[in-house]
Amino acid sequence: MTNASLPPTGTLGVAVIGAGMMGADHVRRLDQVTSGARVAAVADIDDARAGGLAAGIDGCTAHTDPVAAMDAPGVDAVLIASPGPAHEAALLAALERDLPVLCEKPLTPDAASAQRVLEAEQKLGRRRIQVGFMRRFDAEYQQLHALLAAGTLGRPLLLHCRHRNASLHPYFTSEMLINDAVVHEMDATRWLLGQEITAVTVILPAPSSHAPAGLSDPQFVVLETERGAVVNVEIFATCGFGYQVQAEAVCERGTARIGEAHGLMTNVEGRWGGEIAPDFIGRFADAYDREVQAWADATRRGAVTGPSAWDGYAAAAVCEAGVAAQRTGERRAVTMIDRPALYAPEGG
Ligand code: ISE
């Protein structure tokens, strides 16, 4: 999808909204890794945090108000990395200014707010939003995607997924394990299998004694797809030993697994072993680099590529069913609006 009215191919000035763990990492990336882009402004409710990041970058201004950052000199595009509940307002402000956006997942925390974003983008008449489902840029995920698309293994029947974090921010709730963590598997399922998710069930084992009081961790999520595949996701967010994301596709003629081992393998003192990344910043560093570079490149040539606001909406709709399934213990069907013409798949 291309747009005629985007900035010419100079260096892309980016306003980064949110300077927490992910925002700070994106500021570093845009400043030191991404070519053809620079950080023009940083916004965070914590002015010291925004100021600290901006101070290290030539010509970068610091703000506590996201809208002021979007209106700052030299801003051509916006990267939103604030917490999910703040995304809708920032997205609507960016669309009002006709600015291209890379928005970290989730697009928004629920389907109704995601739908309002879709409506605003449709009113603008062109796509401006890419959603930060970075797994689509991970080398192993891309290999699995290509293998499944080629059909070599036959029809996918099952997808087994594991998603483990060493620990969690204290503000995480049981619902956020669905909306903020399993949302990645929801998008990965739609993308890998090329099918919509039609129903969600969430089973809650007795919580780990390491889970904070009141947090249901781990959780076991079952997704059903429109052509009858079944996907299970273990989310275990306080596993303590590291960050692991794994997936195994079981197809009619074979299986394929990713995420089993990465990095250095050692043989020492009668044991062999590898390393487990401590967090997603390290595990998906290459994916984030490729994602942000692809966004900057597309934006500079006036195009919008990658996961769209529609993908963000679809994941939000599945999350909503997931949260209801978690609350009630029942299998919940996913309800979605029809896909608007603006989000028709390329070439189809
Ligand atoms: C975090 O917010 C992320 O987006 C990570 O990719 C995910 O794996 C983690 O579980 C979330 O907390």
Side-chain angles (χ1 to χ4, degrees), residues 5-315:
S5 60
L6 282 170
T9 50
T11 299
L12 187 74
V14 181
V16 177
I17 311 300
M21 183 179 178
M22 205 62 245
D25 193 49
H26 282 318
V27 167
R28 177 200 57 77
R29 172 170 294 106
L30 284 163
D31 189 45
Q32 295 169 21
V33 181
T34 314
S35 64
R38 60 179 284 268
V39 185
V42 179
D44 197 276
I45 42 169
D46 180 339
D47 55 350
R49 205 148 55 179
L53 284 175
I57 301 170
D58 261 5
C60 177
T61 52
H63 309 264
T64 48
D65 174 15
V67 171
M70 292 181 204
D71 290 338
V75 170
D76 307 304
V78 185
L79 193 160
I80 300 174
S82 47
H87 288 187
E88 181 184 1
L91 284 163
L92 296 180
L95 290 176
E96 259 169 40
R97 286 161 180 74
D98 201 7
L99 289 169
V101 189
L102 175 58
C103 179
E104 266 301 335
K105 46 53 63 178
L107 179 69
T108 66
D110 59 79
S113 52
Q115 203 178 326
R116 289 193 289 274
V117 172
L118 289 185
E119 279 156 13
E121 197 171 39
Q122 287 174 88
K123 205 160 132 211
L124 188 63
R126 52 181 165 259
R127 279 185 46 196
R128 281 305 211 194
I129 300 170
Q130 176 178 329
V131 181
F133 287 127
M134 81 300 186
R135 292 192 191 176
R136 295 191 188 202
F137 295 86
D138 175 69
E140 283 185 81
Y141 268 90
Q142 290 186 338
Q143 276 179 307
L144 181 59
H145 182 259
L147 185 66
L148 295 178
T152 324
L153 299 185
R155 186 166 56 87
L157 307 170
L158 296 162
L159 196 58
H160 304 296
C161 308
R162 286 185 284 273
H163 183 159
R164 298 174 180 144
N165 290 258
S167 61
L168 279 182
H169 278 292
Y171 60 75
F172 255 77
T173 61
S174 298
E175 289 187 0
M176 283 174 73
L177 293 192
I178 303 287
N179 285 336
D180 237 78
V182 180
V183 66
H184 282 292
E185 274 77 16
M186 289 157 175
D187 181 65
T189 295
R190 295 182 62 248
W191 180 64
L192 287 173
L193 303 188
Q195 299 181 45
E196 292 300 347
I197 297 165
T198 50
V200 189
T201 307
V202 179
I203 299 165
L204 302 176
S208 158
S209 55
H210 299 295
L215 188 80
S216 267
D217 184 52
Q219 301 185 21
F220 191 79
V221 180
V222 180
L223 309 173
E224 295 166 56
T225 73
E226 59 185 331
R227 292 199 291 281
V230 172
V231 179
N232 62 73
V233 186
E234 169 205 311
I235 172 75
F236 185 13
T238 57
C239 77
F241 58 77
Y243 181 75
Q244 269 184 339
V245 166
Q246 302 170 335
E248 178 178 30
V250 177
C251 307
E252 285 181 317
R253 285 196 294 277
T255 70
R257 266 159 48 168
I258 55 172
E260 291 302 318
H262 358 264
L264 191 70
M265 294 292 293
T266 53
N267 296 293
V268 64
E269 292 176 353
R271 289 179 175 271
W272 60 267
E275 295 190 344
I276 303 177
D279 58 30
F280 47 89
I281 299 273
R283 162 67 181 87
F284 284 112
D286 291 347
Y288 287 122
D289 287 351
R290 272 195 285 274
E291 171 193 63
V292 174
Q293 189 64 63
W295 174 67
D297 290 347
T299 304
R300 289 170 74 227
R301 61 171 195 273
V304 181
T305 57
S308 67
W310 169 256
D311 295 310
Y313 163 79

